[in-house]
Amino acid sequence: MSSCKVRIGYACINLSLGKKFRTFRWKSVEDQDIQKIKEVIQHNIILLGDIIYDNIKKNIFVYRVTAEIIPFIDKLEIKELIEKHKILSEPKIQNEFERIRKWQKQYDLRISMHSSHFTMLASPKEDIVQRSIGELRAQSEFLKIIGGQNLVIHIGGAYGNKEETLERFKEHLKTYKREIDVERLTIENDDKTYTSEEVVPLCKELGLKWVYDYHHERCNPSKYVNIIELLREYPPDKYHLSSGIDGIIKPPHADYILKEDMEGLINQLDLAGIKQADIIFEAKKKDLSIFEVMEPTENGYWKIKTTKL
């Protein structure tokens, strides 16, 4: 039996509720269609509260908020409209924020967000770096409002030279440290370019959190350091788990999580001596995927379903 207690969550869409987040086109911003913008933002914030409430009822205390919760959140134009018209100060929105903050504290919820693949702090192009900083700043501000802890990003491309790119990432983070919320910034090992053994030394040096993606490690494995040693040496702040749709080392996510994949991750955590883990299931069936392989215990914790003979 595992000595690691796990809390399980999912990303963005709650399929049980059958409701969707809404968006608006950039033209709504250009036309300053305040009514449309207000309606969409209010709808999304209220739905976020409904999802978190539904999660709590089902013992799900880990959740990733969509980065599109406020469309074009990183754009100066939308920020100015929101501030000018006090959209986030609307009573219904403030009530939702208050509810979410209360629940986060009461249940110690793990709330995160994953920035888009357009966020590239290591880019050699200054305009892309500035755009990335703007996106991270806006997303961090939103997470701060609701008590979120993790803003997850990838390092990005190699740009022809991984060593130079990693140095550029460090340099940009140090240069813009007053504009980037390093307390919430969390780096993830990816499935193509940067392995866990490259992410961990970077995070250790910069004092950043990291998220360990079990499936990414299979697709893009560390070559020179044993993953158990990395997990033990610098424990991740949270974890991602998915099953490949076309095979073990195929990046696309399947509808559900295979039991053997959950067991594989738990085995790694046990070997690394990790006693508690918050895990996001990255599966197409979202919240429904949790109940296929796990069963709830209490206080947000879960165990792998036992096979009935």
Side-chain angles (χ1 to χ4, degrees):
M1 184 176 177
S2 173
S3 61
C4 182
K5 297 174 66 178
V6 297
R7 303 196 303 176
I8 307 296
Y10 63 98
C12 307
I13 302 170
N14 182 310
L15 293 178
S16 300
L17 290 178
K19 298 177 182 178
K20 295 182 179 180
F21 290 106
R22 293 171 56 190
T23 189
F24 47 77
R25 296 180 179 179
W26 183 247
K27 193 173 188 305
S28 297
V29 180
E30 292 177 328
D31 294 345
Q32 298 200 18
D33 187 347
I34 304 306
Q35 188 60 34
K36 174 71 172 179
I37 293 170
K38 276 185 180 180
E39 286 176 2
V40 169
I41 293 176
Q42 182 171 290
H43 167 87
N44 288 354
I45 302 301
I46 290 173
L47 178 54
L48 175 62
D50 290 345
I51 287 173
I52 291 176
Y53 180 66
D54 185 68
N55 288 347
I56 293 168
K57 289 194 298 182
K58 294 173 180 173
N59 200 52
I60 298 171
F61 290 8
V62 179
Y63 177 66
R64 181 197 299 167
V65 180
T66 173
E68 305 298 323
I69 187 76
I70 297 178
F72 308 109
I73 191 173
D74 59 313
K75 304 297 185 185
L76 180 61
E77 294 90 336
I78 191 68
K79 182 177 181 180
E80 289 177 345
L81 284 177
I82 287 173
E83 291 177 351
K84 178 180 178 181
H85 297 277
K86 297 181 170 45
I87 294 176
L88 296 186
S89 298
E90 292 281 330
K92 288 185 178 180
I93 291 177
Q94 280 298 309
N95 287 342
E96 286 304 316
F97 283 154
E98 200 170 313
R99 284 207 306 165
I100 294 169
R101 284 194 298 268
K102 183 186 75 172
W103 291 329
Q104 192 283 319
K105 291 178 181 177
Q106 182 177 351
Y107 297 100
D108 189 26
L109 303 180
R110 165 82 67 169
I111 301 175
S112 62
M113 185 179 285
H114 198 312
S115 201
S116 76
H117 63 279
F118 295 112
T119 301
M120 295 176 279
L121 280 181
S123 172
K125 296 182 178 180
E126 183 63 22
D127 61 324
I128 293 177
V129 173
Q130 290 302 321
R131 186 183 68 204
S132 299
I133 291 171
E135 184 172 352
L136 291 173
R137 185 192 302 115
Q139 291 166 347
S140 291
E141 288 172 357
F142 185 85
L143 282 175
K144 189 173 182 180
I145 290 173
I146 61 174
Q149 301 97 325
N150 302 93
L151 179 54
V152 178
I153 66 169
H154 293 169
I155 295 171
Y159 302 102
N161 189 315
K162 289 174 84 171
E163 289 186 6
E164 286 184 3
T165 300
L166 286 169
E167 288 303 314
R168 192 163 52 244
F169 183 95
K170 296 175 192 177
E171 181 184 331
H172 289 167
L173 197 68
K174 291 172 182 176
T175 300
Y176 301 109
K177 61 183 179 182
R178 293 184 179 179
E179 300 179 60
I180 298 172
D181 186 352
V182 293
E183 181 183 340
R184 289 177 174 81
L185 196 66
T186 310
I187 314 299
E188 179 180 6
N189 60 304
D190 65 67
D191 57 9
K192 294 178 181 177
T193 310
Y194 293 96
T195 64
S196 300
E197 67 183 348
E198 291 166 321
V199 167
V200 168
L202 176 77
C203 291
K204 282 183 70 176
E205 180 179 338
L206 298 174
L208 299 177
K209 306 175 200 175
W210 77 292
V211 52
Y212 171 57
D213 190 302
Y214 177 82
H215 188 52
H216 288 178
E217 177 65 23
R218 293 191 299 192
C219 298
N220 183 29
S222 300
K223 296 178 182 178
Y224 306 107
V225 182
N226 183 281
I227 188 59
I228 305 304
E229 294 177 12
L230 286 173
L231 295 174
R232 186 184 296 123
E233 173 192 342
Y234 199 68
D237 199 58
K238 63 192 288 279
Y239 303 81
H240 291 171
L241 179 64
S242 58
S243 295
I245 193 169
D246 293 318
I248 288 178
I249 59 171
K250 299 293 184 180
H253 298 164
D255 285 351
Y256 296 98
I257 303 296
L258 294 175
K259 184 178 180 181
E260 50 262 42
D261 289 341
M262 184 65 197
E263 290 172 336
L265 174 57
I266 291 296
N267 182 57
Q268 288 185 349
L269 299 179
D270 282 337
L271 290 173
I274 291 170
K275 301 300 182 185
Q276 197 276 338
D278 287 348
I279 304 170
I280 288 280
F281 274 16
E282 295 187 317
K284 292 181 180 177
K285 290 298 182 180
K286 303 296 181 177
D287 55 311
L288 304 181
S289 69
I290 297 174
F291 299 92
E292 285 292 306
V293 70
M294 307 296 291
E295 58 184 68
T297 54
E298 59 182 2
N299 299 323
Y301 290 99
W302 296 72
K303 65 179 182 178
I304 298 175
K305 277 186 176 180
T306 52
T307 303
K308 295 181 180 179
L309 300 176

PDB file of all heavy atoms in Angstrom, residues 119-125 128-129 132 153-159 162 164-170 172-173 194:
ATOM      1  N   THR A 119       3.360  31.939 -24.398  1.00  0.00           N
ATOM      2  CA  THR A 119       4.168  32.538 -23.336  1.00  0.00           C
ATOM      3  C   THR A 119       5.580  31.986 -23.443  1.00  0.00           C
ATOM      4  O   THR A 119       5.827  30.813 -23.160  1.00  0.00           O
ATOM      5  CB  THR A 119       3.574  32.221 -21.952  1.00  0.00           C
ATOM      6  OG1 THR A 119       2.248  32.721 -21.890  1.00  0.00           O
ATOM      7  CG2 THR A 119       4.406  32.852 -20.843  1.00  0.00           C
ATOM      8  N   MET A 120       6.517  32.826 -23.859  1.00  0.00           N
ATOM      9  CA  MET A 120       7.888  32.370 -24.110  1.00  0.00           C
ATOM     10  C   MET A 120       8.886  33.352 -23.517  1.00  0.00           C
ATOM     11  O   MET A 120       9.378  34.258 -24.184  1.00  0.00           O
ATOM     12  CB  MET A 120       8.107  32.209 -25.621  1.00  0.00           C
ATOM     13  CG  MET A 120       7.252  31.109 -26.232  1.00  0.00           C
ATOM     14  SD  MET A 120       7.416  30.982 -28.029  1.00  0.00           S
ATOM     15  CE  MET A 120       6.313  32.307 -28.555  1.00  0.00           C
ATOM     16  N   LEU A 121       9.181  33.168 -22.239  1.00  0.00           N
ATOM     17  CA  LEU A 121      10.110  34.064 -21.551  1.00  0.00           C
ATOM     18  C   LEU A 121      11.529  33.948 -22.085  1.00  0.00           C
ATOM     19  O   LEU A 121      12.329  34.861 -21.930  1.00  0.00           O
ATOM     20  CB  LEU A 121      10.114  33.761 -20.053  1.00  0.00           C
ATOM     21  CG  LEU A 121       8.981  34.330 -19.204  1.00  0.00           C
ATOM     22  CD1 LEU A 121       9.181  33.933 -17.757  1.00  0.00           C
ATOM     23  CD2 LEU A 121       8.895  35.839 -19.342  1.00  0.00           C
ATOM     24  N   ALA A 122      11.836  32.811 -22.707  1.00  0.00           N
ATOM     25  CA  ALA A 122      13.198  32.591 -23.195  1.00  0.00           C
ATOM     26  C   ALA A 122      13.383  33.028 -24.641  1.00  0.00           C
ATOM     27  O   ALA A 122      14.456  32.825 -25.223  1.00  0.00           O
ATOM     28  CB  ALA A 122      13.567  31.116 -23.057  1.00  0.00           C
ATOM     29  N   SER A 123      12.380  33.664 -25.222  1.00  0.00           N
ATOM     30  CA  SER A 123      12.480  34.071 -26.623  1.00  0.00           C
ATOM     31  C   SER A 123      13.604  35.103 -26.817  1.00  0.00           C
ATOM     32  O   SER A 123      13.812  35.968 -25.967  1.00  0.00           O
ATOM     33  CB  SER A 123      11.155  34.689 -27.087  1.00  0.00           C
ATOM     34  OG  SER A 123      11.290  35.244 -28.382  1.00  0.00           O
ATOM     35  N   PRO A 124      14.298  35.040 -27.957  1.00  0.00           N
ATOM     36  CA  PRO A 124      15.320  36.054 -28.245  1.00  0.00           C
ATOM     37  C   PRO A 124      14.712  37.371 -28.737  1.00  0.00           C
ATOM     38  O   PRO A 124      15.428  38.363 -28.891  1.00  0.00           O
ATOM     39  CB  PRO A 124      16.155  35.392 -29.354  1.00  0.00           C
ATOM     40  CG  PRO A 124      15.227  34.428 -30.014  1.00  0.00           C
ATOM     41  CD  PRO A 124      14.297  33.945 -28.947  1.00  0.00           C
ATOM     42  N   LYS A 125      13.385  37.377 -28.955  1.00  0.00           N
ATOM     43  CA  LYS A 125      12.712  38.577 -29.455  1.00  0.00           C
ATOM     44  C   LYS A 125      12.069  39.338 -28.295  1.00  0.00           C
ATOM     45  O   LYS A 125      11.219  38.806 -27.583  1.00  0.00           O
ATOM     46  CB  LYS A 125      11.653  38.198 -30.490  1.00  0.00           C
ATOM     47  CG  LYS A 125      12.238  37.544 -31.740  1.00  0.00           C
ATOM     48  CD  LYS A 125      11.156  37.235 -32.764  1.00  0.00           C
ATOM     49  CE  LYS A 125      11.759  36.628 -34.026  1.00  0.00           C
ATOM     50  NZ  LYS A 125      10.720  36.303 -35.045  1.00  0.00           N
ATOM     51  N   ILE A 128       8.189  39.532 -27.994  1.00  0.00           N
ATOM     52  CA  ILE A 128       7.555  38.302 -27.510  1.00  0.00           C
ATOM     53  C   ILE A 128       7.745  38.172 -25.995  1.00  0.00           C
ATOM     54  O   ILE A 128       6.824  37.771 -25.276  1.00  0.00           O
ATOM     55  CB  ILE A 128       8.128  37.072 -28.247  1.00  0.00           C
ATOM     56  CG1 ILE A 128       7.713  37.124 -29.719  1.00  0.00           C
ATOM     57  CG2 ILE A 128       7.663  35.773 -27.590  1.00  0.00           C
ATOM     58  CD1 ILE A 128       8.266  36.003 -30.566  1.00  0.00           C
ATOM     59  N   VAL A 129       8.916  38.546 -25.507  1.00  0.00           N
ATOM     60  CA  VAL A 129       9.175  38.516 -24.065  1.00  0.00           C
ATOM     61  C   VAL A 129       8.227  39.463 -23.335  1.00  0.00           C
ATOM     62  O   VAL A 129       7.618  39.103 -22.321  1.00  0.00           O
ATOM     63  CB  VAL A 129      10.641  38.877 -23.753  1.00  0.00           C
ATOM     64  CG1 VAL A 129      10.858  39.013 -22.241  1.00  0.00           C
ATOM     65  CG2 VAL A 129      11.587  37.834 -24.335  1.00  0.00           C
ATOM     66  N   SER A 132       4.779  38.108 -23.290  1.00  0.00           N
ATOM     67  CA  SER A 132       4.720  36.999 -22.332  1.00  0.00           C
ATOM     68  C   SER A 132       4.616  37.518 -20.905  1.00  0.00           C
ATOM     69  O   SER A 132       3.843  36.993 -20.097  1.00  0.00           O
ATOM     70  CB  SER A 132       5.958  36.111 -22.483  1.00  0.00           C
ATOM     71  OG  SER A 132       6.036  35.557 -23.781  1.00  0.00           O
ATOM     72  N   ILE A 153       4.099  27.267 -16.631  1.00  0.00           N
ATOM     73  CA  ILE A 153       4.587  27.566 -17.979  1.00  0.00           C
ATOM     74  C   ILE A 153       5.617  26.518 -18.387  1.00  0.00           C
ATOM     75  O   ILE A 153       6.166  25.805 -17.546  1.00  0.00           O
ATOM     76  CB  ILE A 153       5.224  28.967 -18.093  1.00  0.00           C
ATOM     77  CG1 ILE A 153       6.513  29.056 -17.256  1.00  0.00           C
ATOM     78  CG2 ILE A 153       4.248  30.054 -17.702  1.00  0.00           C
ATOM     79  CD1 ILE A 153       7.340  30.300 -17.527  1.00  0.00           C
ATOM     80  N   HIS A 154       5.872  26.441 -19.700  1.00  0.00           N
ATOM     81  CA  HIS A 154       6.994  25.669 -20.224  1.00  0.00           C
ATOM     82  C   HIS A 154       8.128  26.645 -20.513  1.00  0.00           C
ATOM     83  O   HIS A 154       7.903  27.837 -20.695  1.00  0.00           O
ATOM     84  CB  HIS A 154       6.603  24.958 -21.508  1.00  0.00           C
ATOM     85  CG  HIS A 154       5.581  23.884 -21.312  1.00  0.00           C
ATOM     86  ND1 HIS A 154       4.933  23.275 -22.357  1.00  0.00           N
ATOM     87  CD2 HIS A 154       5.082  23.302 -20.181  1.00  0.00           C
ATOM     88  CE1 HIS A 154       4.091  22.372 -21.898  1.00  0.00           C
ATOM     89  NE2 HIS A 154       4.161  22.380 -20.583  1.00  0.00           N
ATOM     90  N   ILE A 155       9.350  26.126 -20.579  1.00  0.00           N
ATOM     91  CA  ILE A 155      10.475  26.987 -20.927  1.00  0.00           C
ATOM     92  C   ILE A 155      10.317  27.469 -22.365  1.00  0.00           C
ATOM     93  O   ILE A 155      10.603  28.615 -22.687  1.00  0.00           O
ATOM     94  CB  ILE A 155      11.813  26.247 -20.740  1.00  0.00           C
ATOM     95  CG1 ILE A 155      12.012  25.930 -19.254  1.00  0.00           C
ATOM     96  CG2 ILE A 155      12.979  27.089 -21.266  1.00  0.00           C
ATOM     97  CD1 ILE A 155      13.182  25.012 -18.964  1.00  0.00           C
ATOM     98  N   GLY A 156       9.831  26.578 -23.235  1.00  0.00           N
ATOM     99  CA  GLY A 156       9.578  26.955 -24.629  1.00  0.00           C
ATOM    100  C   GLY A 156      10.529  26.254 -25.586  1.00  0.00           C
ATOM    101  O   GLY A 156      11.001  25.146 -25.315  1.00  0.00           O
ATOM    102  N   GLY A 157      10.822  26.891 -26.696  1.00  0.00           N
ATOM    103  CA  GLY A 157      11.678  26.292 -27.715  1.00  0.00           C
ATOM    104  C   GLY A 157      13.154  26.360 -27.358  1.00  0.00           C
ATOM    105  O   GLY A 157      13.557  27.039 -26.418  1.00  0.00           O
ATOM    106  N   ALA A 158      13.956  25.642 -28.163  1.00  0.00           N
ATOM    107  CA  ALA A 158      15.403  25.641 -27.931  1.00  0.00           C
ATOM    108  C   ALA A 158      16.108  26.737 -28.722  1.00  0.00           C
ATOM    109  O   ALA A 158      17.234  27.120 -28.387  1.00  0.00           O
ATOM    110  CB  ALA A 158      15.984  24.283 -28.317  1.00  0.00           C
ATOM    111  N   TYR A 159      15.464  27.233 -29.766  1.00  0.00           N
ATOM    112  CA  TYR A 159      16.019  28.304 -30.604  1.00  0.00           C
ATOM    113  C   TYR A 159      17.431  27.977 -31.108  1.00  0.00           C
ATOM    114  O   TYR A 159      18.297  28.851 -31.196  1.00  0.00           O
ATOM    115  CB  TYR A 159      16.015  29.636 -29.852  1.00  0.00           C
ATOM    116  CG  TYR A 159      14.650  30.061 -29.378  1.00  0.00           C
ATOM    117  CD1 TYR A 159      14.290  29.887 -28.043  1.00  0.00           C
ATOM    118  CD2 TYR A 159      13.716  30.603 -30.259  1.00  0.00           C
ATOM    119  CE1 TYR A 159      13.022  30.253 -27.594  1.00  0.00           C
ATOM    120  CE2 TYR A 159      12.443  30.967 -29.822  1.00  0.00           C
ATOM    121  CZ  TYR A 159      12.102  30.791 -28.489  1.00  0.00           C
ATOM    122  OH  TYR A 159      10.848  31.147 -28.048  1.00  0.00           O
ATOM    123  N   LYS A 162      20.075  25.083 -26.714  1.00  0.00           N
ATOM    124  CA  LYS A 162      19.380  24.970 -25.433  1.00  0.00           C
ATOM    125  C   LYS A 162      20.117  25.668 -24.293  1.00  0.00           C
ATOM    126  O   LYS A 162      19.490  26.298 -23.433  1.00  0.00           O
ATOM    127  CB  LYS A 162      19.160  23.493 -25.089  1.00  0.00           C
ATOM    128  CG  LYS A 162      18.121  22.819 -25.970  1.00  0.00           C
ATOM    129  CD  LYS A 162      18.030  21.333 -25.697  1.00  0.00           C
ATOM    130  CE  LYS A 162      17.136  21.042 -24.540  1.00  0.00           C
ATOM    131  NZ  LYS A 162      16.876  19.589 -24.392  1.00  0.00           N
ATOM    132  N   GLU A 164      22.125  28.305 -24.397  1.00  0.00           N
ATOM    133  CA  GLU A 164      21.933  29.754 -24.511  1.00  0.00           C
ATOM    134  C   GLU A 164      20.509  30.148 -24.137  1.00  0.00           C
ATOM    135  O   GLU A 164      20.286  31.191 -23.500  1.00  0.00           O
ATOM    136  CB  GLU A 164      22.242  30.210 -25.944  1.00  0.00           C
ATOM    137  CG  GLU A 164      23.718  30.221 -26.294  1.00  0.00           C
ATOM    138  CD  GLU A 164      23.974  30.768 -27.682  1.00  0.00           C
ATOM    139  OE1 GLU A 164      22.992  31.198 -28.347  1.00  0.00           O
ATOM    140  OE2 GLU A 164      25.145  30.772 -28.119  1.00  0.00           O
ATOM    141  N   THR A 165      19.553  29.314 -24.529  1.00  0.00           N
ATOM    142  CA  THR A 165      18.149  29.610 -24.232  1.00  0.00           C
ATOM    143  C   THR A 165      17.884  29.563 -22.733  1.00  0.00           C
ATOM    144  O   THR A 165      17.187  30.428 -22.184  1.00  0.00           O
ATOM    145  CB  THR A 165      17.219  28.625 -24.968  1.00  0.00           C
ATOM    146  OG1 THR A 165      17.444  28.742 -26.372  1.00  0.00           O
ATOM    147  CG2 THR A 165      15.764  28.931 -24.674  1.00  0.00           C
ATOM    148  N   LEU A 166      18.441  28.571 -22.049  1.00  0.00           N
ATOM    149  CA  LEU A 166      18.274  28.482 -20.596  1.00  0.00           C
ATOM    150  C   LEU A 166      18.908  29.683 -19.901  1.00  0.00           C
ATOM    151  O   LEU A 166      18.340  30.219 -18.927  1.00  0.00           O
ATOM    152  CB  LEU A 166      18.883  27.182 -20.078  1.00  0.00           C
ATOM    153  CG  LEU A 166      18.088  25.905 -20.390  1.00  0.00           C
ATOM    154  CD1 LEU A 166      18.902  24.662 -20.063  1.00  0.00           C
ATOM    155  CD2 LEU A 166      16.767  25.890 -19.636  1.00  0.00           C
ATOM    156  N   GLU A 167      20.050  30.115 -20.377  1.00  0.00           N
ATOM    157  CA  GLU A 167      20.698  31.297 -19.808  1.00  0.00           C
ATOM    158  C   GLU A 167      19.858  32.546 -20.058  1.00  0.00           C
ATOM    159  O   GLU A 167      19.752  33.420 -19.189  1.00  0.00           O
ATOM    160  CB  GLU A 167      22.101  31.480 -20.396  1.00  0.00           C
ATOM    161  CG  GLU A 167      23.119  30.468 -19.905  1.00  0.00           C
ATOM    162  CD  GLU A 167      23.243  30.470 -18.388  1.00  0.00           C
ATOM    163  OE1 GLU A 167      23.338  31.573 -17.803  1.00  0.00           O
ATOM    164  OE2 GLU A 167      23.226  29.376 -17.791  1.00  0.00           O
ATOM    165  N   ARG A 168      19.243  32.611 -21.231  1.00  0.00           N
ATOM    166  CA  ARG A 168      18.394  33.760 -21.564  1.00  0.00           C
ATOM    167  C   ARG A 168      17.145  33.764 -20.679  1.00  0.00           C
ATOM    168  O   ARG A 168      16.689  34.831 -20.232  1.00  0.00           O
ATOM    169  CB  ARG A 168      18.016  33.707 -23.044  1.00  0.00           C
ATOM    170  CG  ARG A 168      17.381  34.979 -23.563  1.00  0.00           C
ATOM    171  CD  ARG A 168      17.405  35.061 -25.076  1.00  0.00           C
ATOM    172  NE  ARG A 168      16.857  33.871 -25.703  1.00  0.00           N
ATOM    173  CZ  ARG A 168      17.554  33.033 -26.474  1.00  0.00           C
ATOM    174  NH1 ARG A 168      18.833  33.260 -26.709  1.00  0.00           N
ATOM    175  NH2 ARG A 168      16.993  31.969 -27.003  1.00  0.00           N
ATOM    176  N   PHE A 169      16.594  32.582 -20.405  1.00  0.00           N
ATOM    177  CA  PHE A 169      15.453  32.478 -19.502  1.00  0.00           C
ATOM    178  C   PHE A 169      15.818  33.036 -18.124  1.00  0.00           C
ATOM    179  O   PHE A 169      15.075  33.828 -17.540  1.00  0.00           O
ATOM    180  CB  PHE A 169      15.016  31.011 -19.385  1.00  0.00           C
ATOM    181  CG  PHE A 169      13.793  30.791 -18.542  1.00  0.00           C
ATOM    182  CD1 PHE A 169      12.533  30.718 -19.120  1.00  0.00           C
ATOM    183  CD2 PHE A 169      13.885  30.668 -17.161  1.00  0.00           C
ATOM    184  CE1 PHE A 169      11.397  30.519 -18.340  1.00  0.00           C
ATOM    185  CE2 PHE A 169      12.763  30.474 -16.367  1.00  0.00           C
ATOM    186  CZ  PHE A 169      11.517  30.395 -16.968  1.00  0.00           C
ATOM    187  N   LYS A 170      16.962  32.619 -17.616  1.00  0.00           N
ATOM    188  CA  LYS A 170      17.425  33.103 -16.307  1.00  0.00           C
ATOM    189  C   LYS A 170      17.598  34.619 -16.320  1.00  0.00           C
ATOM    190  O   LYS A 170      17.177  35.319 -15.383  1.00  0.00           O
ATOM    191  CB  LYS A 170      18.758  32.447 -15.938  1.00  0.00           C
ATOM    192  CG  LYS A 170      18.712  30.951 -15.754  1.00  0.00           C
ATOM    193  CD  LYS A 170      20.126  30.431 -15.507  1.00  0.00           C
ATOM    194  CE  LYS A 170      20.204  28.924 -15.603  1.00  0.00           C
ATOM    195  NZ  LYS A 170      21.597  28.426 -15.437  1.00  0.00           N
ATOM    196  N   HIS A 172      16.222  36.872 -18.307  1.00  0.00           N
ATOM    197  CA  HIS A 172      14.944  37.590 -18.403  1.00  0.00           C
ATOM    198  C   HIS A 172      14.191  37.563 -17.074  1.00  0.00           C
ATOM    199  O   HIS A 172      13.575  38.558 -16.683  1.00  0.00           O
ATOM    200  CB  HIS A 172      14.082  36.969 -19.510  1.00  0.00           C
ATOM    201  CG  HIS A 172      14.596  37.256 -20.889  1.00  0.00           C
ATOM    202  ND1 HIS A 172      14.147  36.594 -22.006  1.00  0.00           N
ATOM    203  CD2 HIS A 172      15.537  38.137 -21.335  1.00  0.00           C
ATOM    204  CE1 HIS A 172      14.776  37.061 -23.076  1.00  0.00           C
ATOM    205  NE2 HIS A 172      15.625  37.998 -22.685  1.00  0.00           N
ATOM    206  N   LEU A 173      14.251  36.426 -16.399  1.00  0.00           N
ATOM    207  CA  LEU A 173      13.535  36.328 -15.126  1.00  0.00           C
ATOM    208  C   LEU A 173      14.152  37.271 -14.090  1.00  0.00           C
ATOM    209  O   LEU A 173      13.429  37.913 -13.318  1.00  0.00           O
ATOM    210  CB  LEU A 173      13.564  34.887 -14.619  1.00  0.00           C
ATOM    211  CG  LEU A 173      12.531  34.580 -13.531  1.00  0.00           C
ATOM    212  CD1 LEU A 173      11.125  34.632 -14.090  1.00  0.00           C
ATOM    213  CD2 LEU A 173      12.781  33.215 -12.903  1.00  0.00           C
ATOM    214  N   TYR A 194      12.436  20.294 -23.203  1.00  0.00           N
ATOM    215  CA  TYR A 194      13.135  20.371 -21.917  1.00  0.00           C
ATOM    216  C   TYR A 194      12.681  19.271 -20.958  1.00  0.00           C
ATOM    217  O   TYR A 194      11.511  19.176 -20.606  1.00  0.00           O
ATOM    218  CB  TYR A 194      12.939  21.755 -21.295  1.00  0.00           C
ATOM    219  CG  TYR A 194      13.622  22.830 -22.112  1.00  0.00           C
ATOM    220  CD1 TYR A 194      12.914  23.576 -23.048  1.00  0.00           C
ATOM    221  CD2 TYR A 194      14.992  23.057 -21.991  1.00  0.00           C
ATOM    222  CE1 TYR A 194      13.548  24.537 -23.828  1.00  0.00           C
ATOM    223  CE2 TYR A 194      15.640  24.014 -22.760  1.00  0.00           C
ATOM    224  CZ  TYR A 194      14.910  24.748 -23.680  1.00  0.00           C
ATOM    225  OH  TYR A 194      15.540  25.691 -24.454  1.00  0.00           O
TER     226      TYR A 194
END
